[in-house]
Amino acid sequence: MAVTAENGMVVSTDEYATNVGVQILQEGGNAIDAAIAVQFALAVVNPEAGNIGGGGFMVVRTAEGETAALDYREKAPFEATRDMYLDPEGNLTDKSVVGHLAAGVPGTVSGMSAAHERFGTVPWADLVRPAIELAEGFEVKERFLGSLSKTMVEALTAYPTSASQFLPRDGSPPVVGDTLRQADLASTLNRIKDDGADGFYTGRTADLIVEEMKRGGGIITHQDLQSYEAAWREPISFNYRKHTIISMPPSSSGGATMAEIANILEGYDFAEMSWHSAEQIHLFAEAARRAYADRNHYLADPDFVEMPLNRMTSSSYASERAATISTSTATPSTSVGPGMEGDPGESEETTHFSIVDAAGNAVSVTTTINSWYGSKVTVAGAGFVLNNEMDDFAAKPGTPNQFGLVQGENNAIGPGKRMLSAMSPSIILGQDNELLMVTGTPGGSTIITTVFQTISNVVDYGMNVVQAVNAPRVHHQHLPDQIYYEAGGLPRSVVAALEDLGHAMVERSDVSGDVQAILIEDGVMTAWSDPRRGGMAKGY
């Protein structure tokens, strides 16, 4: 049963973090205050994805209707070069995935500072303090251990500081009921509490990061850290079935790609099709195939690349793309390229949380260090894991990254450049322009399709929040040319019908996403934390 609240709601992937957010709301903080506190708490209790060593995106809609998008995505260090992950023969190495060289300049602390400066009402120190208390010691629960598989334990063991922090039982993970204490992380958070962003990007913490880089062959410098700034951007806003969806612009690809999918599907009446029928999934896959082809070619850091966003998100362009869709056969991805040649040219290891306060302020945040435990490198003396976001660049354009995305030159590595993301924190308004939904998910390249399907489940099929989140998901990303579907998520008859249309069908062995959603209908606020990984929704 969905969690219902009269005043405010917090839904995140971890019970401790959710409780922190609710506490801030109960004490008079707004949704943005709660989001900041939840972000820092997740850095402690969800270290495989929640972070201060990574980055993310925040979408805000205030009770007065103001919207804002905060980009605190990591950046490539100034010493980064286009071919830094290629061997002498031009082949990709694993250095963009594992180790010190995989880390981009972290953006989380700058992002939280920027959000507080613009929207915060509670003193900064009060928002960081709950995370410090958790770092001083929290009781380990089953949720924490979910990421520490045998393979992950082996990966962390290669880095002594990571092993000592997360494998405290003589090289093994803690067990349920243990108290995990992270003294170095508590010290780092105390510096952030006292000095704000300067407590991370300068002084002792910055020194520790640079020392770690030198020790392991990384390239992040004091200049990289001191020059990092989060960026406020204009959200991507588009209509779907007379609803308004507000999402992230580049350097996230989420908003623009979802807009193209939605605009293409606007021409088809899903309400007349059975949910997850072969007809409905076929059309969704064809729309996603075309949108991802454009995403992978055009989208990148807006500070470096001019992009045809207006056209990509327009109804007229969607009509052009829809005209190439056959209802009776799948279009091979080899026949679907980027469609705007006349114009200027995230994994499961992410986490999302959604918050609405009593006044109606709404915040949607997706944050990540990319793979579980990022680069696997914990900064000695500082107690946090560094990301491996450099793999989200096209390290070798035209070659798949760890999520199978084949991206182009626009997203090639460049000094000081933000790598493209799929993170799609989103806020949805109903036909009356009132707040309807706050949602988002981790999931690497599947984030965009997961978020859209969750929205469509509500808008097209009238599902409640539990049904919309729990429903099985499918995914198509242009290349590889196949529809992924969750294990047991489609009847064999539907799979066979899609194969008859020419789709290659691939059943996933793992889950797809970890949606954290809030839904408001008829003045009633309900929320649900995706049971695929387990989290907590809580209201007051």
Side-chain angles (χ1 to χ4, degrees), residues 49 64 103 128 137 147 157 163 215 248 277 344 411 428 448 505 526:
E64 295 74 31
V128 184
S147 63
T157 299
R215 189 159 42 246
M248 279 301 304
S277 62
N411 192 38
I428 298 88
I448 298 164
M505 302 298 295
T526 59

Side-chain angles (χ1 to χ4, degrees), residues 471-530:
R473 299 164 190 144
V474 298
H475 174 69
H476 200 300
Q477 63 182 43
H478 185 244
L479 293 174
D481 189 355
Q482 54 198 20
I483 296 177
Y484 296 97
Y485 63 99
E486 289 185 286
L490 292 179
R492 180 58 206 164
S493 59
V494 173
V495 173
L498 287 165
E499 289 174 337
D500 288 343
L501 289 172
H503 293 286
M505 302 298 295
V506 177
E507 188 172 29
R508 293 176 62 114
S509 59
D510 57 346
V511 299
S512 178
D514 184 25
V515 175
Q516 311 296 324
I518 299 171
L519 182 64
I520 304 170
E521 292 184 297
D522 299 323
V524 178
M525 189 183 308
T526 59
W528 192 242
S529 180
D530 202 326

Side-chain angles (χ1 to χ4, degrees), residues 7 124 138 162 200 267 287 305 333 344 357 396 417 423 452 484 525 535:
N7 296 311
W124 173 261
F138 70 91
S162 297
F200 184 87
V305 175
S333 287
D357 64 26
K396 183 179 181 180
K417 186 178 181 181
M423 288 183 276
F452 180 80
Y484 296 97
M525 189 183 308

Side-chain angles (χ1 to χ4, degrees), residues 48-70:
E48 72 271 21
N51 66 82
I52 56 174
F57 301 96
M58 174 186 290
V59 175
V60 175
R61 182 181 186 267
T62 68
E64 295 74 31
E66 178 186 0
T67 61
L70 180 60

Side-chain angles (χ1 to χ4, degrees), residues 17-30:
T18 294
N19 283 331
V20 165
V22 170
Q23 177 187 344
I24 296 298
L25 294 180
Q26 289 174 328
E27 293 175 354
N30 64 26

Side-chain angles (χ1 to χ4, degrees), residues 295-526:
R295 173 214 185 268
N296 297 340
H297 183 78
Y298 295 110
L299 301 186
D301 184 343
D303 297 332
F304 282 73
V305 175
E306 186 177 355
M307 294 166 283
L309 286 179
N310 288 338
R311 188 173 178 208
M312 182 173 173
T313 59
S314 70
S315 297
S316 59
Y317 179 63
S319 296
E320 294 175 27
R321 292 300 246 174
T324 67
I325 294 174
S326 167
T327 58
S328 61
T329 186
T331 311
S333 287
T334 52
S335 300
V336 177
M340 297 176 283
E341 291 305 332
D343 292 84
E346 58 286 358
S347 82
E348 306 302 336
E349 298 74 17
T350 303
T351 190
H352 179 87
F353 52 95
S354 300
I355 302 175
V356 175
D357 64 26
N361 299 296
V363 182
S364 184
V365 176
T366 312
T367 181
T368 188
I369 50 176
N370 210 18
S371 304
W372 265 347
Y373 294 94
S375 63
K376 312 301 182 288
V377 175
T378 298
V379 178
F384 63 88
V385 180
L386 288 167
N387 66 84
N388 63 346
E389 293 292 356
M390 293 296 286
D391 189 63
D392 273 358
F393 281 116
K396 183 179 181 180
T399 301
N401 69 1
Q402 64 176 308
F403 299 112
L405 287 171
V406 180
Q407 303 174 101
E409 289 287 345
N410 280 4
N411 192 38
I413 299 169
K417 186 178 181 181
R418 287 180 167 93
M419 58 292 291
L420 188 63
S421 170
M423 288 183 276
S424 308
S426 299
I427 295 172
I428 298 88
L429 308 182
Q431 296 185 26
D432 56 4
N433 211 38
E434 295 297 320
L435 181 65
L436 173 69
M437 193 175 184
V438 184
T439 190
T441 186
S445 60
T446 69
I447 289 174
I448 298 164
T449 53
T450 295
V451 172
F452 180 80
Q453 286 170 91
T454 306
I455 296 169
S456 174
N457 289 343
V458 172
V459 171
D460 288 313
Y461 293 101
M463 294 186 188
N464 63 37
V465 70
V466 176
Q467 294 167 330
V469 170
N470 288 0
R473 299 164 190 144
V474 298
H475 174 69
H476 200 300
Q477 63 182 43
H478 185 244
L479 293 174
D481 189 355
Q482 54 198 20
I483 296 177
Y484 296 97
Y485 63 99
E486 289 185 286
L490 292 179
R492 180 58 206 164
S493 59
V494 173
V495 173
L498 287 165
E499 289 174 337
D500 288 343
L501 289 172
H503 293 286
M505 302 298 295
V506 177
E507 188 172 29
R508 293 176 62 114
S509 59
D510 57 346
V511 299
S512 178
D514 184 25
V515 175
Q516 311 296 324
I518 299 171
L519 182 64
I520 304 170
E521 292 184 297
D522 299 323
V524 178
M525 189 183 308
T526 59

Side-chain angles (χ1 to χ4, degrees), residues 57-142:
F57 301 96
M58 174 186 290
V59 175
V60 175
R61 182 181 186 267
T62 68
E64 295 74 31
E66 178 186 0
T67 61
L70 180 60
D71 181 343
Y72 56 100
R73 182 68 157 153
E74 303 89 336
K75 288 185 175 183
F78 288 127
E79 294 182 13
T81 60
R82 185 185 183 283
D83 299 329
M84 62 188 288
Y85 299 116
L86 305 183
D87 65 18
E89 286 72 45
N91 299 312
L92 276 173
T93 68
D94 67 353
K95 292 182 179 180
S96 67
V97 179
V98 180
H100 295 70
L101 202 61
V105 182
T108 295
V109 178
S110 176
M112 295 306 97
S113 177
H116 185 260
E117 181 179 353
R118 181 167 175 178
F119 293 111
T121 62
V122 173
W124 173 261
D126 293 345
L127 303 179
V128 184
R129 192 171 289 111
I132 295 171
E133 294 172 359
L134 288 167
E136 290 171 344
F138 70 91
E139 182 180 332
V140 173
K141 299 185 178 182
E142 191 66 38

